[in-house]
Amino acid sequence: MSNERQTINSERQQFMREAIRLSIENVQSGTGGPFAAIVAKDGKIIARGINLVTSTNDPTAHAEIAAIREACKILGTFQLDGCEIYTSCEPCPMCLGAIYWARPERVFYGNTKQDAASIGFDDSFIYGELLKPPTQRKLPMEQLLHNEALAAFNEWNIKQDKVKY
């Protein structure tokens, strides 16, 4: 293995160890679940996030979401071009969606979704719900005022100075 490759692997392991350290620290402090994430760019950590769901009463306060928000704030952009995300666990469906929207270069994770399920964080029902049409999901979903809602889409479509994402 080349020295450059060894340096990259060592750096990546260091970043993952930081995410793991933060996840353990989060459990010990009682601020949230056993999850943490970091965003790195150009060999440096630019943002950290921990799970704060229970301490903030916010079901969206997942580590990856927090790290993405902080990194985007620091970088002054809504995309994580050239960044890597290191997360202590394979992302849940919500975080996976946010990661795809943020467009990092790569994601590394420690624990698997099966590991998470084994300690009570099972997202398999959400993955299953996503495959169903809205009318067949466990949470009732019904389309309402479609024609009126299209007004915002029509405005967006003709807007000349929009920032595409």
Side-chain angles (χ1 to χ4, degrees):
M1 188 183 301
S2 73
N3 284 343
E4 182 180 342
R5 185 78 179 139
Q6 285 177 327
T7 299
I8 290 171
N9 284 336
S10 174
E11 186 176 87
R12 288 177 174 163
Q13 289 175 6
Q14 177 185 347
F15 294 154
M16 181 56 74
R17 284 189 178 105
E18 175 64 3
I20 293 167
R21 183 191 70 75
L22 289 169
S23 70
I24 294 167
E25 185 178 277
N26 202 45
V27 171
Q28 292 170 345
S29 71
T31 54
F35 307 100
I38 67 161
V39 177
K41 184 172 186 172
D42 300 326
K44 295 181 181 148
I45 295 174
I46 60 168
R48 291 172 172 81
I50 56 173
N51 179 286
L52 296 171
V53 171
T54 57
S55 62
T56 62
N57 295 319
D58 179 354
T60 68
H62 288 205
E64 297 91 337
I65 302 292
I68 288 168
R69 287 177 177 161
E70 183 65 19
C72 288
K73 183 178 176 183
I74 288 168
L75 294 172
T77 181
F78 53 84
Q79 290 187 192
L80 297 177
D81 296 328
C83 294
E84 295 177 336
I85 296 177
Y86 295 79
T87 179
S88 62
C89 186
E90 186 175 357
C92 74
M94 176 182 67
C95 293
L96 186 60
I99 288 167
Y100 271 97
W101 280 115
R103 297 177 180 92
E105 192 172 295
R106 180 173 283 134
V107 177
F108 297 93
Y109 61 92
N111 293 309
T112 66
K113 61 185 177 183
Q114 291 82 7
D115 295 329
S118 74
I119 61 164
F121 295 94
D122 190 356
D123 297 324
S124 61
F125 78 98
I126 298 174
Y127 288 108
E129 289 289 292
L130 290 171
L131 298 174
K132 297 176 185 177
T135 56
Q136 294 178 13
R137 293 178 183 155
K138 185 176 180 179
L139 179 63
M141 295 190 170
E142 181 179 339
Q143 189 173 27
L144 189 62
L145 299 176
H146 180 231
N147 289 334
E148 291 180 38
L150 282 173
F153 281 19
N154 292 333
E155 287 289 322
W156 175 260
N157 198 36
I158 62 173
K159 184 173 177 62
Q160 296 297 312
D161 61 344
K162 62 188 162 205
V163 178
K164 292 184 180 182
Y165 59 99

